Amino acid sequence: MRADKECYACCVNKAVTLLGQYDVPEHTAAEVLERIRGRLCRAGEDASAPVLMAQAMRMLGELTGITDAFDLPKKKYNELLLGREEAIFDEVMGEEDSFSAALQYAITGNYIDFGAMAEVEEEKLDGLLSDRSGMRLDQEEAARLEQELARALRLVYITDNAGEIVLDKIFLRVMKERYPNLQITVLVRGMPVLNDATMEDAELVGIDKLAAVMTNGTDIPGTPMDGISREAREAMDAADLCIAKGQGNFETLRGCGRNIYYLFLCKCELFVKKFQVARFTPVLSNEKRIVQYA
């Protein structure tokens, strides 16, 4: 999906923030920003926002050595959610509709996004988790997802961010109990970018104990079909359905024609404007039926 003009500014602003956080000297920072702006100006007209962000982060890494800028926040939120995993899982399993509860938690976890937002607040996350049961989703779409999972043999679950993946793990635990014959492949980023989950994060939180985990082979904070590894593409092609978490996966997969259910919170102003909803509104929709986004 083609990036809007706001996406270019977002990429530059993210670089500005990181240059400040890492105390990069002023003359070096100015050169980095000039090079990033030039690179983005030369990007193809059809480039998506995650592709632009990857280009900006690559340039930042090449010129400053900052290649895993969100390492500490990733560890913080992985550990924070791991400490709550069993309590949340027990709560979910105590619900009459454990599937819906786990689904709500999985979408809530999409708040932990240092790419779409300037700051992630632990207090805000606590509030969202506490209000999980009040999350309003498209019930017809949720029912379709349940029905498809019950019939499916293969699912590819495309993750988004560290920390968030602990709540994805809880959702997967519920699916494993409900659909014991379902073969699940979890797709993570191929290398560090923003706070997106990588193989290291998946292994840290134990998702690899539940399902096969595969990297998508790219540092793009999304899943562009023409940019991921052959193995990841083949896994998606063989799946009966995919679940894709987060705005970046939506932006790179939208229009691909595959059977994908998107799960995310509308966090940035562009999504708020396009979907015409309040910030942090949850979205659950299938690729075939999501028509709100222009």
Side-chain angles (χ1 to χ4, degrees):
M1 177 177 293
R2 181 183 302 176
D4 282 57
K5 60 182 180 180
E6 293 98 324
C7 302
Y8 289 81
C10 181
C11 294
V12 173
N13 290 339
K14 188 62 62 179
V16 169
T17 298
L18 292 173
L19 290 166
Q21 287 179 354
Y22 281 84
D23 296 320
V24 175
E26 188 174 337
H27 67 281
T28 303
E31 179 186 353
V32 171
L33 292 175
E34 181 180 358
R35 296 275 294 276
I36 287 176
R37 289 189 180 101
R39 182 66 172 270
L40 295 182
C41 285
R42 295 191 299 274
E45 292 184 358
D46 293 330
S48 66
V51 169
L52 297 178
M53 185 65 80
Q55 292 177 351
M57 292 301 101
R58 285 173 201 153
M59 188 69 66
L60 180 74
E62 290 169 6
L63 298 176
T64 67
I66 302 171
T67 56
D68 194 1
F70 293 92
D71 179 52
L72 293 180
K74 286 167 66 178
K75 290 178 179 176
K76 172 186 174 179
Y77 282 98
N78 278 335
E79 293 171 0
L80 178 68
L81 271 300
L82 276 173
R84 303 182 185 185
E85 179 186 352
E86 291 309 317
I88 292 175
F89 180 73
D90 289 344
E91 176 196 334
V92 165
M93 296 307 293
E95 292 278 356
E96 182 177 350
D97 187 349
S98 59
F99 181 88
S100 291
L103 175 60
Q104 289 171 325
Y105 269 120
I107 296 176
T108 300
N110 191 235
Y111 169 75
I112 309 171
D113 187 344
F114 285 87
M117 300 188 298
E119 185 178 5
V120 172
E121 300 174 0
E122 190 174 332
E123 184 177 349
K124 176 65 176 178
L125 175 62
D126 287 341
L128 291 171
L129 292 172
S130 297
D131 294 339
R132 180 276 311 167
S133 61
M135 178 182 287
R136 295 183 178 181
L137 297 173
D138 183 328
Q139 293 304 308
E140 291 184 1
E141 198 75 323
R144 291 189 192 102
L145 174 58
E146 280 195 85
Q147 291 164 6
E148 289 210 45
L149 287 169
R151 296 193 301 264
L153 296 177
R154 297 182 182 87
L155 165 71
V156 169
Y157 193 102
I158 307 171
T159 63
D160 196 14
N161 302 305
E164 176 182 355
I165 60 171
V166 177
L167 298 171
D168 295 328
K169 180 185 175 185
I170 292 171
F171 191 24
L172 292 171
R173 289 174 68 179
V174 171
M175 281 193 267
K176 293 282 286 186
E177 290 206 12
R178 291 171 66 97
Y179 316 114
N181 295 323
L182 182 64
Q183 295 181 21
I184 302 172
T185 299
V186 175
L187 207 59
V188 297
R189 303 291 185 255
M191 54 202 78
V193 58
L194 302 175
N195 69 311
D196 289 30
T198 63
M199 181 66 78
E200 180 181 359
D201 300 299
E203 292 176 347
L204 175 67
V205 305
I207 281 185
D208 59 318
K209 303 297 191 299
L210 289 176
V213 181
M214 177 185 298
T215 74
N216 68 1
T218 182
D219 63 347
I220 294 170
T223 310
M225 295 303 297
D226 60 351
I228 60 176
S229 68
R230 177 177 57 82
E231 292 80 8
R233 191 163 53 250
E234 288 176 350
M236 291 182 65
D237 288 341
D240 297 297
L241 73 157
C242 301
I243 293 174
K245 296 290 302 295
Q247 294 181 178
N249 283 324
F250 171 75
E251 290 174 290
T252 48
L253 287 168
R254 179 75 175 106
C256 72
R258 287 167 173 78
N259 186 18
I260 300 174
Y261 283 83
Y262 298 108
L263 312 181
F264 58 86
L265 296 178
C266 290
K267 297 179 291 289
C268 71
E269 289 305 315
L270 178 62
F271 270 65
V272 166
K273 180 176 67 176
K274 292 288 190 180
F275 280 93
Q276 299 183 335
V277 295
R279 199 175 185 208
F280 305 125
T281 294
V283 172
L284 160 62
S285 190
N286 186 274
E287 165 72 15
K288 302 170 186 175
R289 291 178 288 276
I290 193 163
V291 296
Q292 302 101 313
Y293 196 95

